Amino acid sequence: MSLDRRSLLGLGALITLTGCTGTPLELDPSVRPNTASPGVQPPSPTSASPSPTPTGLQLRTVPAPRFALAKAPGGGIDGNRLDRAFAALPAYSGGAQRRIVVKPGTYYRSKPLVIPSGVHLVAAGSTFISRIPGAQDALVAIDNANDITVEGGTWDGNGDAVKIKTEWKHAIRVQNSRRITLTGLIAQKAKGDGIYVGALTWPCHDVTITSVKCRKNYRNGMSITGCSGLTCTDSIFTANGIISPMAGADIEPHDPAAPIRDIRFTRCAFTKNSARGFLMVMDPGNPEIPGSVRLDKCTIEQNATDATGYLSAGMTLIRPRGIRITNTVVRDNNIGIVVQSRREKDPASQFGRGTVELKGVDVASSNRQGLLVLQGVRRLTVTDTRFLDSSRTGGDEYSGVTLTNGSNMDFTDCVSSGARLFGLEAEDDVRGVTLTRCDLSGNGKGEIDAPKSGVKVVQ
């Protein structure tokens, strides 16, 4: 079996995805963001044709995010007086947050809005637009602070007006802070990320993000680079990505010591992002923490639809460490899910590290593969998961599941059907793959193409 005939990849040429740093980015050349209209999702291909044997199976029902902007309570102070109001507050020593309400309106900022500890800022009905000079400053800065709530408001990074080349002018930045809540708000059009949490030496703790929309940001909708305890619910990450990594949400620590623990996404949607809906790029030295990142009841759809690269997907997991995806629908993406245990610069010891678990997931109508494993992780467990109607791009043929490398992969009670090629194909050096009670029927070329690999079928 030759993967070249599927135009899959040259396995020796691994693409480098940048970390969340200021270094130049190496882009997948097949990703073509619409630079003529920043922040706008490129159009989907118009030549896609259905696979020869579409399954017609109904996808699982996943609840939509219960997103709603916070409503203005009435009254409040002029938004231009916020800095003065913050300065007048006594030092915070714990206890109840001090509530400050902003009168609805549109406000322009020429310097970052620095929120001190112990503040509950209600900005519902207001729009804040950045006119902040320079390449670094965020519109909202929550740095070295505790016990802060930002409720409502549209926080606009005004990226189209920023002519400086940068990836750091975020709409909302949270660093070295604890017990931070962002709720009922929009973070948009930042030259960097909509929301940025953590940093190399400034991790965060106990961050709650509820009913937030991150849209049309130049880089990612949200980046998490160091955090212990982050819960994100009922939020939407859409139409992000002009500069790499171009993801809806990106978990990407800079350093082995940067914590990524207890990160939860529930009822979130990652849609129409330029290159990736959800991205994880862990540091080679990050420890394996079972269940450190979990997605449940999420929708990941229409991402990278104008891209052809093999790291452009609904979910791209590079050096994954303990990620668990459950009760989720991944549909209408370039590739459904990509797993890769190492990057080109990594030592060979990175092969076979990390764990990924999929349970109760539907991966449907991918332009290419439903699941692509480029280099195998220590353990891949796939249970009660369906790969339906893969290889939707006209002219090219792909399988529902493609395994190019690795071992210790278990598929139990899974379905792979409706692909132009096979239900599952595996390269010759793949070992330790077990298929238990799996249905691989209804594909254009057959059930399995793995003549020399270690694939075991158990009924």
Side-chain angles (χ1 to χ4, degrees):
M1 178 188 69
S2 171
L3 292 181
D4 290 340
R5 63 188 165 91
R6 266 77 93 186
S7 301
L8 174 59
L9 66 147
L11 288 177
L14 305 180
I15 276 186
T16 299
L17 262 146
T18 182
C20 292
T21 69
T23 57
L25 310 184
E26 292 187 48
L27 299 180
D28 181 344
S30 65
V31 178
R32 300 180 298 277
N34 184 357
T35 55
S37 182
V40 177
Q41 170 68 11
S44 300
T46 58
S47 59
S49 58
S51 56
T53 53
T55 62
L57 296 176
Q58 294 295 315
L59 298 184
R60 303 170 199 266
T61 299
V62 176
R66 296 195 288 263
F67 171 80
L69 283 173
K71 295 182 179 179
I77 66 172
D78 187 296
N80 295 314
R81 297 178 56 199
L82 274 175
D83 300 280
R84 188 182 308 172
F86 292 159
L89 292 172
Y92 179 69
S93 59
Q97 296 179 359
R98 287 79 57 89
R99 190 168 185 260
I100 297 177
V101 177
V102 177
K103 182 168 61 178
T106 298
Y107 305 100
Y108 294 90
R109 296 285 310 183
S110 59
K111 61 180 182 180
L113 181 65
V114 179
I115 304 178
S117 292
V119 166
H120 181 171
L121 176 63
V122 181
S126 296
T127 298
F128 286 81
I129 301 174
S130 176
R131 288 180 175 171
I132 302 169
Q136 297 289 323
D137 287 327
L139 174 58
V140 176
I142 301 175
D143 299 332
N144 311 305
N146 300 321
D147 303 304
I148 290 174
T149 297
V150 179
E151 179 182 350
T154 296
W155 304 92
D156 191 323
N158 199 17
D160 295 357
V162 178
K163 305 306 179 185
I164 298 172
K165 184 178 180 180
T166 179
E167 56 182 291
W168 289 105
K169 290 183 74 67
H170 311 307
I172 300 174
R173 182 186 68 210
V174 184
Q175 293 184 147
N176 192 32
S177 297
R178 294 174 179 267
R179 298 179 297 279
I180 307 301
T181 297
L182 308 176
T183 183
L185 59 81
I186 294 173
Q188 66 179 24
K189 299 181 182 179
K191 196 75 172 197
D193 303 325
I195 299 172
Y196 184 94
V197 179
L200 176 60
T201 55
W202 304 290
C204 296
H205 301 264
D206 301 323
V207 176
T208 301
I209 298 173
T210 304
S211 200
V212 160
K213 182 180 290 185
C214 295
R215 66 185 183 190
K216 297 184 179 181
N217 296 288
Y218 270 62
R219 203 173 69 144
N220 300 317
M222 177 167 68
S223 291
I224 302 169
T225 64
C227 190
S228 292
L230 182 146
T231 300
C232 181
T233 58
D234 294 310
S235 295
I236 299 170
F237 304 88
T238 185
N240 298 288
I242 292 296
I243 57 176
S244 184
M246 298 184 282
D250 177 16
I251 296 177
E252 193 162 353
H254 298 161
D255 184 86
I260 296 293
R261 300 186 183 92
D262 195 23
I263 310 296
R264 304 287 182 266
F265 290 85
T266 304
R267 289 188 311 277
C268 292
F270 308 85
T271 68
K272 298 182 180 179
N273 299 287
S274 294
R276 293 135 198 127
F278 184 92
L279 173 64
M280 168 184 272
V281 186
M282 299 294 282
D283 186 272
N286 287 134
E288 179 73 35
I289 303 174
S292 59
V293 177
R294 297 185 183 183
L295 283 76
D296 186 53
K297 301 181 181 67
C298 291
T299 302
I300 303 171
E301 61 182 341
Q302 300 181 53
N303 298 286
T305 53
D306 193 44
T308 58
Y310 53 84
L311 290 179
S312 301
M315 299 189 72
T316 301
L317 309 176
I318 300 175
R319 306 192 198 102
R321 298 287 188 266
I323 184 168
R324 189 171 192 260
I325 303 106
T326 56
N327 309 312
T328 287
V329 170
V330 183
R331 62 188 172 209
D332 300 316
N333 301 286
N334 175 46
I335 299 172
I337 301 172
V338 176
V339 177
Q340 180 172 313
S341 65
R342 69 183 291 268
R343 292 164 64 179
E344 185 178 16
K345 63 183 180 181
D346 293 346
S349 61
Q350 284 300 305
F351 277 119
R353 292 195 62 194
T355 58
V356 176
E357 181 181 356
L358 308 177
K359 185 174 183 180
V361 178
D362 275 354
V363 184
S365 301
S366 304
N367 289 349
R368 297 177 61 165
Q369 299 92 348
L371 172 65
L372 172 60
V373 178
L374 293 173
Q375 289 88 35
V377 292
R378 181 174 65 82
R379 186 79 174 174
L380 172 65
T381 305
V382 186
T383 306
D384 186 25
T385 291
R386 303 186 297 178
F387 304 95
L388 307 176
D389 301 332
S390 302
S391 189
R392 305 291 287 183
T393 301
D396 293 323
E397 296 182 336
Y398 302 97
S399 296
V401 176
T402 298
L403 312 175
T404 70
N405 174 279
S407 59
N408 295 326
M409 293 179 264
D410 291 334
F411 295 79
T412 303
D413 296 320
C414 293
V415 174
S416 182
S417 185
R420 291 180 182 274
L421 285 183
F422 302 92
L424 180 144
E425 62 176 326
E427 265 287 70
D428 293 348
D429 60 350
V430 171
R431 292 291 182 268
V433 178
T434 302
L435 308 175
T436 304
R437 298 185 304 275
C438 292
D439 181 357
L440 304 179
S441 62
N443 299 287
K445 297 295 179 67
E447 296 187 1
I448 299 177
D449 183 14
K452 297 182 181 180
S453 61
V455 176
K456 179 181 179 181
V457 178
V458 179
Q459 298 298 333

